[in-house]
Each structure stands twice: as structure tokens, then as C-alpha cells.
Amino acid sequence: MMICTYFRANLQPGNADAAMLEHLRHCDACLDFAMSVDPDLFFRSLGGDEIVPPGGIDAFVGDVMSQVRVHDAETSLARRHSVSAWQRWAIAATVAAGVTGATLAYRYEHAAPQPVHIIAAAKPRPAATATKSFVETYSSHDATIVEMPNDGSDTKVVMIFDDKLPADL
Amino acid sequence: MAAEVLRMIPTKESVELDDRQLVEQIRQGDDRAFEMLVRRKTSKVYGLCYRVIGNSEDAKDISQLVFLKLWENLEKYDATYAFDTWLYRMVTNVAIDFMRSKQSRDNAVNSNLRLVKTSIDPEQTVTVARKEVESVFNAVSNVLSPKQKTIFVMSEMEDLRSSEIAKVLGCRESTVRNHLFNARKLMQTQLKRRFPEYARLWEESR
């Protein structure tokens, strides 16, 4: 390390080299003198120190390493949970197939019993069936015709029992 | 025989890996190498952060953030360039970003406040104490932009040459010199206004 007498004898304005600066930054006794020779050294006197973070270097390094471990754990977890492009396609295709299948099954289930519903709905409306099987005349030797009692309306209800009766009647 | 054995024992210097070798080991998954690198660079990184930010707790947080970013981006480091330049670039980017957001926060909070400095008698004899210089620096450097302050710190306190600072910041050397000139000028104006007892140093030396 440079001695103070050498420093004071050799310091010139604007020519502080690394050795001069090192002396300036570590010698409080020469600070005033240096300022009077070269005021630009005012702020330069601050540099060069080994500045240690609060708590010391060991604690600092420990903190950094623990943060790195947490970061790594988070990253690996995120990686495990992240899906690649082809996986996304596979998931989308599976979901689409599932939805389509479920829709078809639903339709099938709800389409099959439809006649039952229609029949069930038709039951309380005998007038609808009456319009379909409107018989004006019928003659057969084997038929048994039962005439229902008239309730006062124009329509006469008749029950025909005949093995040869056409199916569409 | 004893001399031969001694010669075969590696000395500390030969065993100690340089920055590039450490980076290579880290890339191969050696966490201890990263710990070694952090330990080696802590003073450098924290020192620059502390000078630029001017607050030890914030500087500590920012330094830790720098090392975390370093860990994340180590794959991107090109070993053909000096490691310290790459590291300094990371530090300055993070510190400048922090300063900018802090400045905008402070501006929002202190928009109606004006600092009133009660300085000592300008005629009083100047006795410079290092701690005082530090507090003066923190007070007057607030007028600098984050980039100007970073350049000023790297030049005046970290003793980096303009060419090196230009490499760190990814700009031209002339831009660095320009920023440095403006920063010095602003600092002196502030010194004259707020700390006339120190401003006299420049006037006396003329």
C-alpha cells in the first residue's frame, strides 16, 4: 500500500491512477488533501470498497440459493403440469369424442321412447283417433258391431270386432 | 521424492475455476458451482446496486433478483464475451428498471414536497469525512436519471472505462461520455445549491 507522503507528493489534478485511487479510498487522513488538489476526486473517494450486504455474505448467498431452489421447484412443477402441443391435441380430440358420444347417446335415449310419449299423449284425446278411423259404412258377415250409446252429439261411436278387418282401419 | 509429491499437490490458484469454467459446470447441473459464483460476485453486484440505488435493503433485494435472473438466463451466456460485462449488463438493467419505477412512485407521492436543506455556513472550513461524502452523493445524485447515475457510478466508483461501460449498456462510447459530462455538471450544480461548503472546493481550485 502506498504511503501518505508518496501520495501527497505525487497527486496531480486529473491523473489519479489505480494505486492513487486505492490509497485515497482507504486513507481518511489524505481525503482533505486530495479534495484540495483535485475536487473531482470528491465522489471518486467512495469507490473501491468491498461493500457487503446487510447480514453478511454467507447469509446473502444462503438466501440466493434458497430462492434458486424454490424457483427450481416451481419451474419443475410447472413443467410437470404443462402440456405439450400434441398432448393438447390429444386432450381436445378426447373431449370432442366424449361430447359427440354423449350427445349421440342422449339423442338415442330420448328419441327411442318417442312413440310411447305420443301414444301416452294421445290417450286422453280419443277425438284424434276417432278422426283417423272414421267409418261411414261397413258390412261383413263375420263382424260383431257394437254400437255405443249416443251422448247426444252427431257422432256415433261404433266398435267393430272382425278378424278380417283391415289393419289401417 | 518429497519435493515431487509437493509439486503434484495442486495449489489454490490452479484449483480455483475462472468464471467461464464455473458457468460451464453450472450448465452441467452443478449447484455448488453456482453458489461459488454467487459468493465470488456478491460484493461486485451488491456494491453497484448499493451505489446506484442508495439504500442497503433495496440494494440487497435487487442483488438477489439479479442472481436469480442470472440462474434463469445462464444458458444464454455467450462464453466468447467477458462474464463480468454480461453480469454488469444484467445488474444495470435490473437496477435502472427499479430506479425508474421508484422515481415514478416517489414523484407521485412527493409531487408537492420540496426539500429544504439547512446547510452549514459556506465560509466554514471544509473537513471532508467519507460518510459525509456518501450522504452528499445520495442527496445530489437524485437529480440524475437512472441511466446517468449508473454510468456515473460505473465510471467514478467502479473505475470502468467508457468503452467498457458502453459494452455493458450496449451503446456508443460517445453516448457514455455525453451522459458522464451531463451527470458531472448536474451534480456540481446540485452541490452548489444544496451543499455550498463542498462546492467551494471546485471554486478554490480554479
Side-chain angles (χ1 to χ4, degrees):
Chain A
M1 173 112 175
M2 191 183 285
I3 56 166
C4 296
T5 46
Y6 180 86
F7 176 79
R8 290 175 189 219
N10 291 286
L11 184 67
Q12 299 286 321
N15 76 340
D17 61 12
M20 289 287 211
L21 281 173
E22 200 196 337
H23 181 86
L24 170 72
R25 286 165 178 168
H26 293 99
C27 179
D28 284 339
C30 289
L31 200 55
D32 269 342
F33 172 79
M35 302 291 170
S36 64
V37 173
D38 185 0
D40 285 339
L41 294 174
F42 187 73
F43 292 122
R44 296 207 83 178
S45 66
L46 288 178
D49 281 345
E50 287 274 302
I51 308 177
V52 176
I57 289 190
D58 286 340
F60 180 87
V61 174
D63 283 352
V64 170
M65 292 312 291
S66 62
Q67 281 183 30
V68 163
R69 277 179 213 116
V70 169
H71 172 266
D72 275 4
E74 283 173 356
T75 313
S76 65
L77 209 64
R79 257 187 221 140
R80 214 177 296 157
H81 286 284
S82 69
V83 283
S84 60
W86 71 267
Q87 279 175 321
R88 279 181 205 160
W89 277 109
I91 290 167
T94 310
V95 169
V99 168
T100 312
T103 309
L104 288 175
Y106 179 83
R107 278 190 188 165
Y108 177 77
E109 275 176 18
H110 288 80
Q114 259 181 1
V116 175
H117 286 298
I118 291 165
I119 290 162
K123 267 183 186 169
R125 300 192 314 180
T129 50
T131 52
K132 199 175 177 187
S133 52
F134 223 95
V135 180
E136 283 183 359
T137 56
Y138 189 77
S139 76
S140 172
H141 297 289
D142 304 319
T144 308
I145 301 171
V146 181
E147 197 175 312
M148 300 298 284
N150 198 344
D151 57 352
S153 64
D154 291 341
T155 315
K156 192 182 271 183
V157 179
V158 172
M159 291 175 78
I160 303 166
F161 301 95
D162 189 352
D163 291 339
K164 292 169 185 170
L165 193 72
D168 59 339
L169 197 67
Chain B
M1 180 68 188
E4 271 175 39
V5 171
L6 272 176
R7 234 179 284 139
M8 285 166 72
I9 297 171
T11 60
K12 199 184 173 220
E13 285 87 72
S14 65
V15 166
E16 205 165 88
L17 302 170
D18 67 19
D19 295 344
R20 285 190 180 95
Q21 288 169 318
L22 273 180
V23 169
E24 201 45 54
Q25 288 213 344
I26 298 163
R27 280 172 173 172
Q28 286 164 12
D30 186 353
D31 284 4
R32 285 179 61 84
F34 183 69
E35 192 174 335
M36 209 181 286
L37 189 71
V38 173
R39 196 172 290 278
R40 188 182 288 179
K41 301 294 176 188
T42 292
S43 291
K44 222 178 230 296
V45 170
Y46 176 76
L48 182 57
C49 286
Y50 177 72
R51 295 288 181 219
V52 172
I53 292 163
N55 171 314
S56 58
E57 282 305 322
D58 285 343
K60 187 181 163 189
D61 291 346
I62 296 302
S63 309
Q64 287 181 351
L65 187 62
V66 168
F67 282 116
L68 207 59
K69 276 186 176 285
L70 185 75
W71 173 256
E72 283 175 349
N73 295 295
L74 215 56
E75 286 298 319
K76 294 177 190 165
Y77 168 63
D78 181 354
T80 51
Y81 297 99
F83 180 76
D84 277 351
T85 306
W86 190 67
L87 179 64
Y88 265 129
R89 178 173 287 194
M90 208 167 273
V91 177
T92 52
N93 283 343
V94 177
I96 287 173
D97 280 352
F98 174 81
M99 292 289 286
R100 280 182 182 149
S101 63
K102 188 172 178 277
Q103 266 183 2
S104 61
R105 278 199 308 272
D106 289 352
N107 287 347
V109 173
N110 302 327
S111 57
N112 295 320
L113 300 178
R114 291 284 178 272
L115 181 72
V116 180
K117 172 80 175 89
T118 51
S119 66
I120 56 168
D121 180 7
E123 296 305 313
Q124 198 176 314
T125 323
V126 182
T127 309
V128 183
R130 211 170 296 272
K131 271 279 159 203
E132 232 173 291
V133 179
E134 199 168 318
S135 60
V136 169
F137 172 74
N138 286 333
V140 297
S141 62
N142 281 340
V143 294
L144 305 181
S145 72
K147 199 167 188 175
Q148 277 177 333
K149 190 171 178 182
T150 308
I151 289 173
F152 187 85
V153 168
M154 283 198 284
S155 169
E156 303 291 286
M157 295 167 200
E158 302 290 323
D159 303 325
L160 264 66
R161 290 191 298 272
S162 299
S163 57
E164 290 171 316
I165 298 172
K167 267 186 202 162
V168 168
L169 295 176
C171 61
R172 281 188 298 189
E173 218 179 310
S174 58
T175 311
V176 172
R177 281 199 295 267
N178 199 23
H179 275 303
L180 207 51
F181 175 79
N182 289 332
R184 284 189 183 126
K185 212 167 146 187
L186 277 166
M187 297 274 276
Q188 283 190 19
T189 313
Q190 279 297 305
L191 262 180
K192 213 174 275 181
R193 255 182 58 194
R194 296 169 65 175
F195 301 92
E197 68 277 14
Y198 293 118
R200 276 178 57 227
L201 288 169
W202 277 268
E203 283 154 18
E204 282 169 3
S205 67
R206 273 177 202 157

